[in-house]
Amino acid sequence: MRDKTLLELSRALAAKEFSCLELTQAYLKQIETRNPILNAFISVTKELALETASAADTRRAKGEALPLLGIPISHKDILCTQGVKTTCGSKILHNFIAPYSATVVKRFEQAGMILLGKTNLDEFAMGSSNENSFYGPVKNPWDMERVPGGSSGGSAVAVAARMTPAATGTDTGGSIRQPAALTNTTGLKPTYGRVSRFGLVAFASSLDQAGPITATAEDAALLMNVMAGFDEKDSTSVDIPVPDYTQDLSKALKGKVIGIPKIFFKDLEPTMALRIEAVISAYQKMGAVVKDIDLPNVSFSVPVYYVIAPAECSSNLARYDGVRFGYRAKAPKDLYDLYTRTRAEGFGPEVKRRIMIGTYVLSSGYYDAYYLKAQKVRQLIRQDFQKAFETVDIILGPTTPTPAFKLGDKIQDPISMYLSDIYTIAVNLAGLPAISIPAGFIGHLPVGVQMIANYFKEDRLLNFAHQYQQVTDWHKKRPKETS
Ligand code: GLN
């Protein structure tokens, strides 16, 4: 039963093939056997899961028909869960229990889904390999010596190794799409403002967005039906109607125009390019038309991001001072000692690096040269996409420059680590929605293809993704369970 999609699980539960409790037990058992090796979960909420699963069985028996009622889910450990630890992958929040749940978490509760646990991540979602977690790296089930991608690596691996049928992730510069690509899962980063950020612990507030990581595009649509929508508690969430994301999945793609940005292929390894070209031909067979496009300012995305994201993070992370919550340094001499030692002992090296870059680019004398300049270029990047979407329906390219790299390979070299996101970061700077779906293998390692759509066109992305998954089996491939 663990291999079923959400839709199949929903049907099976309705047909009483098995109970919510049996289903939940099956995933908990898989977590017990696989998690000690893969380290995808920071917390497993076993008792709570069993309790809510039994309650879901009672509700179903009484005739409640919510489609996801009694189906398990796992949340990235940066979404606040009332009564359950939220660590953000950091020592500084190792004992933090949020007094309220994120809106996203609440919505899944209201949909009747069962929380299995909180998944591992790079500290405060800063990273591309999951090696920045205080709780240790996550392993890629396709190759235990390789990274699963980050920062939502725990969620992606939990789905890939069938420890959960679906999970949430967050994406500030690629953290849903990049791990999805490296683990053969489907990951959707929604339009900025489409999903509430209330209770999502902030990294870079103008870029962060939560979204689904699933086995199929159809499953992502089902989760989006729950996640998306206005929230008065998040002033950046947008008050426009939410479509039924499953409605357009089967729409024909004949005549649709796919834009191919030349810049995404310029330095792409030939083996990667081959995979992406195969995807393009599959769409052409379905009747889509291909067009080359220019995104002239997108090459500045990584440097622009590494000014703006650290600037926002330095401000957002100022609250961790040992006074209100989380880790507190022992026996401080005075208030200054409390602040500095709490932060020195509580944050890991990558977070410290970002805070230092952030405070630097925001300091007087440098603000105009770095922060303001970066904001201006960000605007140009946004305009590039707007221009492109005047003539194309979707933009397609690789999600990552390479398949999963080896643990330890890039951790000493931040620039090469930052370049893991060269194809994903522009999307966050522009606030656009994008999806990564399985696109085949290079050797034994999966690769992903990324599609980007105009604002609030998640339904179009899901339509394209679903159509590809109707004619290919990549997304059905599962890693072997070796130790
Ligand atoms: N890898 C990027 C970073 O380190 C993006 C992370 C993310 O999307 N949360 O900031």
Side-chain angles (χ1 to χ4, degrees):
M1 62 180 106
R2 277 190 301 98
D3 216 31
K4 289 191 184 327
T5 67
L6 292 179
L7 195 66
E8 288 164 353
L9 287 176
S10 179
R11 287 188 182 140
L13 287 173
K16 301 197 172 43
E17 283 173 33
F18 42 77
S19 68
C20 305
L21 187 62
E22 285 166 336
L23 180 64
T24 303
Q25 282 165 336
Y27 284 110
L28 286 169
K29 186 155 173 272
Q30 177 76 347
I31 294 174
E32 257 165 45
T33 47
R34 300 298 286 149
N35 197 52
I37 306 160
L38 296 168
N39 199 27
F41 284 86
I42 292 176
S43 311
V44 180
T45 49
K46 186 173 173 185
E47 300 306 316
L48 180 74
L50 294 172
E51 223 172 89
T52 42
S54 298
D57 279 324
T58 313
R59 288 168 66 184
R60 277 194 178 263
K62 283 189 186 146
E64 263 193 68
L66 288 169
L68 299 174
L69 175 60
I71 300 180
I73 190 165
S74 306
H75 295 309
K76 184 175 181 179
D77 203 18
I78 197 163
L79 287 159
C80 287
T81 40
Q82 190 174 8
V84 175
K85 252 186 346 184
T86 299
T87 69
C88 295
S90 182
K91 179 179 175 186
I92 216 158
L93 288 178
H94 71 108
N95 58 356
F96 175 61
I97 297 184
Y100 58 83
S101 286
T103 297
V104 163
V105 170
K106 271 206 185 135
R107 281 177 181 246
F108 282 118
E109 264 169 34
Q110 282 155 5
M113 293 194 86
I114 313 295
L115 177 68
L116 290 176
K118 306 289 295 288
T119 59
N120 204 346
L121 68 157
D122 284 299
E123 186 174 6
F124 285 100
M126 298 174 200
S128 306
S129 69
N130 239 288
E131 293 164 294
N132 295 334
S133 169
F134 177 64
Y135 303 90
V138 181
K139 304 275 173 64
N140 190 324
W142 292 96
D143 181 338
M144 299 302 223
E145 287 176 14
R146 289 176 193 263
V147 305
S151 61
S152 315
S155 289
V157 167
V159 173
R162 304 315 290 161
M163 290 186 270
T164 187
T168 53
T170 64
D171 193 312
T172 304
S175 278
I176 288 177
R177 292 158 286 157
Q178 188 251 10
L182 271 38
T183 58
N184 206 44
T185 52
T186 295
L188 173 71
K189 181 246 169 230
T191 309
Y192 184 78
R194 179 77 290 189
V195 172
S196 170
R197 288 186 299 111
F198 180 75
L200 156 59
V201 178
F203 158 16
S205 313
S206 77
L207 301 158
D208 299 341
Q209 189 65 188
I213 299 183
T214 52
T216 65
E218 189 171 52
D219 283 358
L222 288 170
L223 292 195
M224 279 301 285
N225 279 352
V226 177
M227 294 176 91
F230 175 65
D231 177 13
E232 60 182 16
K233 295 198 184 104
D234 172 4
S235 62
T236 60
S237 86
V238 179
D239 193 2
I240 58 166
V242 179
D244 174 354
Y245 288 104
T246 60
Q247 211 163 17
D248 283 349
L249 290 176
S250 304
K251 252 182 144 174
L253 299 181
K254 197 167 173 5
K256 289 270 183 289
V257 184
I258 301 179
I260 308 291
K262 281 177 271 170
I263 185 176
F264 284 6
F265 291 81
K266 212 177 103 220
D267 299 315
L268 192 62
E269 276 185 27
T271 47
M272 286 293 291
L274 247 140
R275 291 300 342 139
I276 307 304
E277 279 153 19
V279 179
I280 298 172
S281 352
Y283 280 117
Q284 284 173 317
K285 278 205 194 108
M286 290 184 244
V289 186
V290 171
K291 183 177 181 256
D292 281 338
I293 56 166
D294 281 318
L295 298 169
N297 295 290
V298 162
S299 53
F300 303 118
S301 300
V302 173
V304 166
Y305 174 90
Y306 279 98
V307 171
I308 292 173
E312 293 185 20
C313 116
S314 72
S315 162
N316 278 325
L317 272 57
R319 72 191 71 176
Y320 306 107
D321 55 7
V323 175
R324 273 159 300 188
F325 33 60
Y327 177 76
R328 176 178 292 176
K330 302 266 166 325
K333 285 201 301 283
D334 51 29
L335 191 61
Y336 185 77
D337 187 41
L338 170 74
Y339 290 162
T340 50
R341 251 186 332 106
T342 294
R343 291 166 70 80
E345 292 165 16
F347 288 136
E350 182 60 26
V351 171
K352 286 178 186 158
R353 175 164 28 236
R354 305 275 178 116
I355 292 172
M356 284 191 284
I357 298 171
T359 49
Y360 179 82
V361 299
L362 289 175
S363 53
S364 70
Y366 296 107
Y367 182 94
D368 287 359
Y370 294 108
Y371 185 72
L372 200 63
K373 179 67 110 348
Q375 291 291 10
K376 287 179 179 165
V377 182
R378 180 180 190 175
Q379 194 56 34
L380 297 175
I381 291 169
R382 204 186 300 243
Q383 286 166 8
D384 280 358
F385 281 109
Q386 281 320 287
K387 189 152 175 281
F389 285 122
E390 284 169 13
T391 59
V392 304
D393 295 299
I394 215 146
I395 295 173
L396 184 149
T399 309
T400 60
T402 63
F405 47 90
K406 289 229 162 103
L407 284 150
D409 253 14
K410 301 193 180 191
I411 198 74
Q412 302 304 338
D413 180 0
I415 305 275
S416 92
M417 185 72 89
Y418 295 170
L419 288 173
S420 310
D421 296 318
I422 42 172
Y423 304 123
T424 50
I425 273 181
V427 165
N428 302 72
L429 291 169
L432 292 163
I435 197 166
S436 176
I437 59 171
F441 289 77
I442 294 178
H444 62 301
L445 299 173
V447 298
V449 62
Q450 175 178 232
M451 287 177 279
I452 308 166
N454 211 342
Y455 299 109
F456 300 101
K457 296 275 187 241
E458 286 82 0
D459 45 358
R460 182 170 296 162
L461 290 175
L462 291 163
N463 173 213
F464 267 80
H466 180 69
Q467 289 306 306
Y468 184 71
Q469 292 179 344
Q470 297 312 292
V471 298
T472 54
D473 278 337
W474 304 125
H475 62 289
K476 293 187 181 151
K477 303 257 184 276
R478 301 272 178 264
K480 284 201 197 79
E481 303 205 347
T482 49
S483 51

